[in-house]
Amino acid sequence: MRINRVILSSALVVVALVVQVSVLARLQLPGAVPDLVLLTVLGLALVYGHLGGAFVGFGAGLLSDLAPPADHAAGRYALVLCVIGYAAGLAKPDHGRLRSATGPMVVVVCAAIGSTLLYAGVGALVGDTAARHVGLTNLLFTAAVYDLLLAPFTVPFIMAIARRAENDPLAETSGGGGSAKNGTSIASGWLSGGTGLRIGNQKGGLRVKAARNRAARAGRIKGVKRL
């Protein structure tokens, strides 16, 4: 990987891990915990491709294995995220352009379920049966739901930042705040694709409609004065 990718990926993964350990893990939600590190790996893999996704996944998983309060063997989650990052990178959009929200949402659901299954499978091989006591079905369902709800607010912004760091022509080329604007438009596309609501250009449409109404009202007033 190029040095700029390593630096950016490390910074994003560290921030995601800190937020996950200090905030998300303390929410005491039923079932699984929202996996912000997994979503970060997915966002970078969808920009860097399968090889970059595998490297990022391995590094992110290794940090998660070593970060407290880790209660499993080191390397277990590194293997899981390495496989998930490689597989997600294979789904990299053509020319880096997201045509709809369906594809990325499917990737998120598959990654959430696949990572949970792989983690439980590797744990069974080393004698860790914690997933059986919690309930694997409950873990799979809650992991998919939590990650899917969190994905529209994280993955698009991570992809926008990664593209901007890559000097990708698809990234926003304007001044400060360009990556945030690009991420906002992508997030709106995710939400509108999943709900059928127009979010991205809704404000612009309302402004145009209001201007037309004012012009029509002014025309009627002038017609009355001439009479």
Side-chain angles (χ1 to χ4, degrees):
M1 292 181 66
R2 294 197 295 256
I3 187 64
N4 62 329
R5 289 186 176 185
V6 174
I7 295 174
L8 177 63
S9 301
S10 301
L12 291 176
V13 167
V14 169
V15 171
L17 183 60
V18 170
V19 173
Q20 180 168 325
V21 172
S22 60
V23 178
L24 299 179
R26 299 175 182 270
L27 295 179
Q28 297 181 351
L29 297 173
V33 176
D35 199 338
L36 187 58
V37 175
L38 172 64
L39 296 177
T40 302
V41 171
L42 293 180
L44 294 174
L46 289 173
V47 176
Y48 296 157
H50 57 284
L51 291 180
F55 282 113
V56 172
F58 179 82
L62 190 58
L63 284 178
S64 300
D65 289 330
L66 299 177
D71 56 353
H72 55 270
R76 180 175 170 184
Y77 203 47
L79 174 62
V80 171
L81 286 188
C82 181
V83 175
I84 295 298
Y86 182 89
L90 295 176
K92 177 183 176 181
D94 295 334
H95 307 294
R97 191 182 300 275
L98 289 175
R99 297 182 178 179
S100 68
T102 304
M105 287 192 292
V106 171
V107 171
V108 170
V109 173
C110 292
I113 296 176
S115 62
T116 304
L117 288 175
L118 283 174
Y119 188 82
V122 175
L125 293 177
V126 298
D128 185 1
T129 59
R132 297 181 182 177
H133 301 292
V134 177
L136 185 58
T137 303
N138 183 40
L139 284 177
L140 292 174
F141 177 75
T142 53
V145 171
Y146 295 155
D147 291 348
L148 189 59
L149 292 176
L150 189 61
F153 306 100
T154 54
V155 177
F157 295 99
I158 292 171
M159 294 179 65
I161 293 172
R163 284 174 179 161
R164 188 172 182 81
E166 291 279 297
N167 294 321
D168 194 313
L170 290 175
E172 185 73 30
T173 57
S174 60
S179 60
K181 293 179 181 178
N182 192 23
T184 303
S185 63
I186 299 175
S188 300
W190 276 47
L191 294 173
S192 61
T195 61
L197 296 176
R198 291 186 303 162
I199 298 177
N201 298 322
Q202 189 172 9
K203 292 182 178 179
L206 292 176
R207 294 193 188 101
V208 172
K209 185 176 180 180
R212 290 177 178 174
N213 290 336
R214 287 196 297 269
R217 191 180 303 110
R220 289 196 299 268
I221 293 175
K222 289 181 179 179
V224 171
K225 289 182 177 180
R226 289 176 182 176
L227 293 176

